[in-house]
């Protein structure tokens, strides 16, 4: 019994010791004024993916302006595969209007970007050279946000999955104006 107690005490002491220079992740910065959307998220495996398709309802996306020609999308609670044990908050930044002359909708497209998590680009894994491996990068990001219909549509590839989202404006939030 004494050996078990000493092992538990040693484990407790080791777990209490941490890197003093470690800084906790910055909190997700919630925009104060955003246009909220609620809708269906559909995730389908790309060829070769080990995961299964799944769908979720009432997923929230938040659109907020960075400038007259740029928006960001905050996703407060998402998972990209059914087997993911927890939901995460992601942010897609620096989305520029690809058709600024259209007064009814904001169109955006990005070939590749990293999502943000806790205020920093999300790229936790390193390759054999110790550099970020980019495995969680977002590719083929396309979308539109229309003011008249109140519809936000977004699609992209993440890891081995193709993600589509279609949401309607949440009347409790600010309306989106292109």
């Amino acid at each position: 019994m004494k050996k078990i107690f000493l092992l538990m005490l040693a484990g407790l002491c080791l777990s209490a010791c941490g890197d003093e220079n470690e800084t906790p992740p910055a909190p997700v910065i919630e925009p104060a004024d955003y246009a909220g959307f609620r809708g269906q998220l559909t995730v389908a495996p790309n060829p070769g993916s080990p995961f299964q398709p799944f769908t979720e309802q009432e997923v929230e996306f938040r659109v907020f302006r960075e400038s007259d020609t740029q928006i960001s999308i905050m996703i407060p609670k998402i998972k990209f595969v059914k087997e993911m044990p927890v939901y995460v908050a992601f942010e897609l930044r620096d989305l520029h209007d690809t058709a600024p002359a259209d007064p009814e909708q904001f169109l955006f497209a990005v070939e590749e970007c990293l999502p943000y998590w806790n205020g920093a680009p999300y790229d936790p894994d390193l390759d054999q050279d110790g550099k970020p491996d980019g495995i969680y990068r977002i590719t083929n990001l396309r979308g539109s946000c229309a003011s008249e219909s109140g519809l936000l549509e977004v699609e992209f590839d993440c890891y081995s999955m193709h993600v589509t989202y279609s949401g309607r404006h949440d009347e409790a939030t600010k309306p989106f104006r292109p």
Side-chain angles (χ1 to χ4, degrees):
M1 184 73 166
K2 191 175 186 180
K3 287 182 183 179
I4 293 174
F5 176 73
L6 287 174
L7 283 173
M8 286 176 33
L9 182 62
L12 181 62
C13 289
L14 286 174
S15 66
C17 298
D19 185 354
E20 291 176 12
N21 296 327
E22 242 180 64
T23 56
V28 174
I29 299 169
E30 292 283 340
D33 201 15
Y34 62 86
F37 296 83
R38 291 198 175 276
Q40 179 174 302
L41 180 79
T42 303
V43 184
N46 286 326
S49 176
F51 302 107
Q52 299 299 312
F54 80 100
T55 301
E56 286 195 332
Q57 304 296 327
E58 295 299 312
V59 176
E60 181 183 15
F61 276 41
R62 298 175 180 175
V63 176
F64 59 99
R65 285 226 174 257
E66 295 293 332
S67 71
D68 287 343
T69 60
Q70 184 178 329
I71 63 169
S72 289
I73 299 175
M74 170 81 68
I75 309 164
K77 184 178 158 189
I78 192 169
K79 62 182 185 174
F80 296 107
V81 295
K82 192 174 192 173
E83 297 81 7
M84 242 173 109
V86 295
Y87 286 89
V88 294
F90 265 37
E91 187 178 341
L92 302 169
R93 291 186 177 178
D94 305 326
L95 304 176
H96 296 274
D97 194 347
T98 59
D102 187 342
E104 292 303 317
Q105 63 182 350
F106 188 101
L107 300 175
F108 52 93
V110 176
E111 290 306 313
E112 184 175 304
C113 67
L114 282 174
Y116 280 69
W117 177 71
N118 277 335
Y122 184 72
D123 199 2
D125 298 325
L126 303 177
D127 64 15
Q128 67 269 10
D129 297 324
K131 296 181 180 172
D133 68 1
I135 197 167
Y136 296 107
R137 72 187 181 279
I138 302 292
T139 58
N140 305 314
L141 173 65
R142 306 273 182 271
S144 66
C145 191
S147 62
E148 190 170 309
S149 67
L151 187 63
L152 172 66
E153 295 182 324
V154 180
E155 73 174 292
F156 56 87
D157 292 316
C158 181
Y159 191 53
S160 64
M161 305 301 278
H162 184 75
V163 179
T164 57
Y165 175 80
S166 182
R168 292 235 167 253
H169 179 250
D170 179 352
E171 296 296 326
T173 65
K174 170 185 158 187
F176 180 77
R177 301 283 179 237

